[in-house]
Amino acid sequence: MSPSKAPRKDPGPGGRPRLTREAVLSAALKLVGSEGLEALTMRRLGQELGVDPMSLYRYAANRAALLDGVTELVLNELAISPEDRDWQAQLRRIAHDLRLLALRHPNVVPLLVTRPLSTPLGLRPLGTLRPLEKILSLLTGAGFGAVNALHVYRAYYGFLYGHILNELQEFVVDTEEHEALLRLGLHRLPAREFPRLRALAPALADYDGGAELDQGLSILLSGLASRLPSAPEQDSHPPNTADSPSA
Amino acid sequence: MSPSKAPRKDPGPGGRPRLTREAVLSAALKLVGSEGLEALTMRRLGQELGVDPMSLYRYAANRAALLDGVTELVLNELAISPEDRDWQAQLRRIAHDLRLLALRHPNVVPLLVTRPLSTPLGLRPLGTLRPLEKILSLLTGAGFGAVNALHVYRAYYGFLYGHILNELQEFVVDTEEHEALLRLGLHRLPAREFPRLRALAPALADYDGGAELDQGLSILLSGLASRLPSAPEQDSHPPNTADSPSA
DNA sequence: GCCTAAAGTCTACAGTGTAGGGACTGTCGC
DNA sequence: GCGACAGTCCCTACACTGTAGACTTTAGGC
């Protein structure tokens, strides 16, 4: 239809370049990353781009749509290649990638888990549905039936998101102060009611999220593998009747 | 010290009863439940209670503190009794309880997962830390070492929260329209890029969250049981050297 | 009755999302 | 060259937000 969807022309180094959706979104992401979600207001973002706040509404219908755009942008950083046949290794890699992604954009994580809650599955931005489709493809390629692939996906992604939330809850930016602040905070707790939690201060202080994720995944994946019609992996469970776990 | 912290007296049926923190919080919860998180503004809540908005600041320092109060209130509905010795059964029961709690208060779930992200562990409202302490107690009572109990807790709670998020994402209030809306939404997706997701419409429509949670828990719990110093459960894995999984 | 402290209210301010309409600018057909 | 046009962008304005600070009312204790 229209021969050019990109901004018409580079106006040269003199004029301010035309706004783009990508420019708006990445500026928004940058702002969220450096100053938190609440700093992302239309006025502030406009100021950051040297542009009237109202201009932004050409590139996102809403503030909500803007947030959706940011989550999409972040999720696009996640690479999934459904060709690989070793599904367990793939899921492991994806999990660690997503974990690192979350650690790289901690302020966006609330969006990642919250936005889908207010948007029915079919109406989400495509970018947020792509991982789901690709993982389904990966699983069916590995031998899972369609419905079973969905169940496996749910267990896997659920655990993954849960872990990320867990880890980010304990994450404190300033690692210098981390332990001190932790002790201080825990010390505030009534000793009688919270003996175990208080005693765990040192263990809480050094938390290896990657390792913990990996161990959880080991448990989960080997358990899930037993759902394969003919378990070809190193597992030795008896093969289950697959694909219709419930009548 | 002060002999009475409760409101001084019941002023009788004539005068409006004194405000209480509990009254404020439960009104807030009710409002959130019926009209969503965004409806919870100070003015609106004040109006709901027939009170000047500024009065609320006597019972919650902030809007943020108000939100914390609501999450605390909801989490208080969760009963955990660390006395029980059968830790697996207990964790199963708690998981289902929390799931039902989330389904009862879907609008509060974003708070449940989001608020802790912006509050370091030591500074959270006591009510939100109580489940953690109790589960730790439950696990150590079952034979786990302190540090191992923490790891088990993390895996368990992570999976649980992940599942709840997953389920609520697919949850649509109006079950009549559910399948129709789902089909409609999925139909919007490009057929070439999302073949599996589109094909899964019927499977997505009837989603038994409880069963799915239970299956995931079975996998996870039996895997976690192998961390017990001397596995006393029905499991037959060789006992691991417990309590220090990493040097 | 008064005294005191708590509880509730009023006013005001800076900041929010965004509707409606007007001004500008680059591109196209002539 | 010119005029038309459509896409961008900006300005103004409105209803609404959280909350600081000073004020008024209320409830007990004596």
Side-chain angles (χ1 to χ4, degrees):
Chain A
M1 311 295 173
S2 59
S4 72
K5 294 191 80 171
R8 311 306 168 87
K9 216 173 219 173
D10 185 359
R16 169 160 40 74
R18 201 61 144 238
L19 232 45
T20 327
R21 187 172 152 95
E22 285 73 34
V24 169
L25 291 184
S26 72
L29 175 57
K30 200 169 119 195
L31 188 55
V32 169
S34 61
E35 307 194 27
L37 267 180
E38 321 193 326
L40 180 57
T41 73
M42 303 309 253
R43 285 166 164 90
R44 181 67 203 283
L45 182 56
Q47 173 183 329
E48 213 72 25
L49 286 161
V51 133
D52 187 278
M54 292 310 281
S55 306
L56 304 174
Y57 285 89
R58 300 270 160 200
Y59 305 96
N62 266 345
R63 193 181 109 100
L66 200 94
L67 296 179
D68 277 336
V70 172
T71 73
E72 214 177 347
L73 188 62
V74 167
L75 275 185
N76 274 349
E77 293 185 28
L78 191 69
I80 301 179
S81 49
E83 294 81 30
D84 197 324
R85 281 269 154 167
D86 184 354
W87 63 279
Q88 295 205 31
Q90 268 280 331
L91 290 189
R92 263 212 161 77
R93 191 191 56 73
I94 295 171
H96 281 104
D97 281 0
L98 188 63
R99 168 175 177 267
L100 292 177
L101 197 68
L103 290 177
R104 227 177 308 138
H105 304 290
N107 292 338
V108 189
V109 169
L111 295 184
L112 251 44
V113 300
T114 284
R115 295 292 317 154
L117 291 177
S118 37
T119 323
L121 193 143
L123 302 181
R124 306 215 185 116
L126 292 191
T128 68
L129 292 177
R130 224 161 263 137
L132 166 52
E133 172 73 24
K134 284 189 185 159
I135 289 181
L136 285 178
S137 163
L138 177 71
L139 289 172
T140 53
F144 285 96
V147 177
N148 239 350
L150 180 61
H151 290 138
V152 169
Y153 166 84
R154 285 201 187 113
Y156 164 76
Y157 235 63
F159 176 75
L160 180 52
Y161 267 78
H163 169 86
I164 287 174
L165 279 177
N166 253 345
E167 183 168 354
L168 250 59
Q169 285 185 11
E170 305 189 18
F171 181 73
V172 175
V173 190
D174 191 343
T175 47
E176 286 278 329
E177 279 189 296
H178 187 171
E179 192 172 345
L181 195 147
L182 190 63
R183 277 184 195 287
L184 202 70
L186 292 181
H187 208 260
R188 177 197 61 120
L189 302 180
R192 189 133 35 90
E193 204 182 355
F194 294 91
R196 334 239 169 210
L197 198 46
R198 288 172 49 122
L200 276 176
L204 284 167
D206 59 324
Y207 174 24
D208 185 347
E212 204 132 319
L213 173 62
D214 217 55
Q215 291 180 28
L217 279 177
S218 293
I219 294 176
L220 199 65
L221 290 181
S222 73
L224 292 173
S226 69
R227 275 217 183 74
L228 266 180
S230 59
E233 304 294 329
Q234 72 276 11
D235 215 295
S236 60
H237 290 190
N240 273 0
T241 54
D243 219 12
S244 19
S246 63
Chain B
M1 309 300 169
S2 61
S4 72
K5 294 191 81 171
R8 312 308 168 85
K9 215 173 217 172
D10 184 0
R16 168 159 40 76
R18 198 64 143 237
L19 233 44
T20 329
R21 175 152 218 259
E22 285 72 36
V24 170
L25 290 185
S26 71
L29 175 57
K30 199 169 118 196
L31 188 54
V32 169
S34 61
E35 307 195 26
L37 268 180
E38 320 192 327
L40 180 56
T41 73
M42 303 309 252
R43 286 168 164 88
R44 180 68 202 282
L45 183 56
Q47 175 182 328
E48 213 73 23
L49 286 161
V51 133
D52 187 279
M54 292 309 280
S55 307
L56 304 174
Y57 286 90
R58 302 261 165 208
Y59 305 95
N62 268 343
R63 194 181 109 101
L66 200 96
L67 295 179
D68 278 335
V70 172
T71 73
E72 215 177 347
L73 188 63
V74 168
L75 274 184
N76 275 349
E77 293 184 30
L78 190 69
I80 301 179
S81 49
E83 294 80 30
D84 197 323
R85 280 271 156 165
D86 184 354
W87 62 280
Q88 295 206 32
Q90 269 279 332
L91 290 189
R92 263 213 161 74
R93 191 192 56 73
I94 295 171
H96 281 105
D97 281 1
L98 189 62
R99 169 176 176 266
L100 292 177
L101 197 68
L103 289 177
R104 227 178 309 137
H105 304 290
N107 292 337
V108 191
V109 169
L111 294 184
L112 252 45
V113 300
T114 284
R115 294 292 317 152
L117 290 177
S118 39
T119 324
L121 192 142
L123 302 180
R124 306 214 186 116
L126 292 191
T128 67
L129 292 177
R130 223 161 263 136
L132 166 52
E133 172 72 25
K134 284 188 183 157
I135 289 181
L136 285 178
S137 163
L138 177 71
L139 288 173
T140 53
F144 285 96
V147 176
N148 239 349
L150 179 61
H151 290 137
V152 170
Y153 167 84
R154 285 202 188 112
Y156 164 76
Y157 236 62
F159 176 76
L160 179 51
Y161 268 78
H163 169 87
I164 287 173
L165 279 177
N166 254 344
E167 184 168 354
L168 251 60
Q169 285 185 11
E170 305 190 19
F171 180 75
V172 175
V173 189
D174 190 343
T175 47
E176 286 278 330
E177 278 188 296
H178 187 170
E179 191 172 345
L181 196 146
L182 191 63
R183 275 185 196 287
L184 203 71
L186 292 182
H187 208 260
R188 180 197 58 121
L189 302 181
R192 189 133 34 91
E193 204 181 357
F194 294 92
R196 334 242 166 207
L197 197 46
R198 287 172 50 124
L200 274 176
L204 283 167
D206 59 324
Y207 173 24
D208 185 348
E212 203 132 319
L213 173 63
D214 217 55
Q215 291 180 29
L217 279 178
S218 293
I219 293 175
L220 199 66
L221 290 180
S222 72
L224 292 173
S226 69
R227 275 216 182 73
L228 267 180
S230 60
E233 304 293 328
Q234 71 276 13
D235 218 294
S236 60
H237 290 192
N240 274 2
T241 54
D243 221 14
S244 19
S246 63

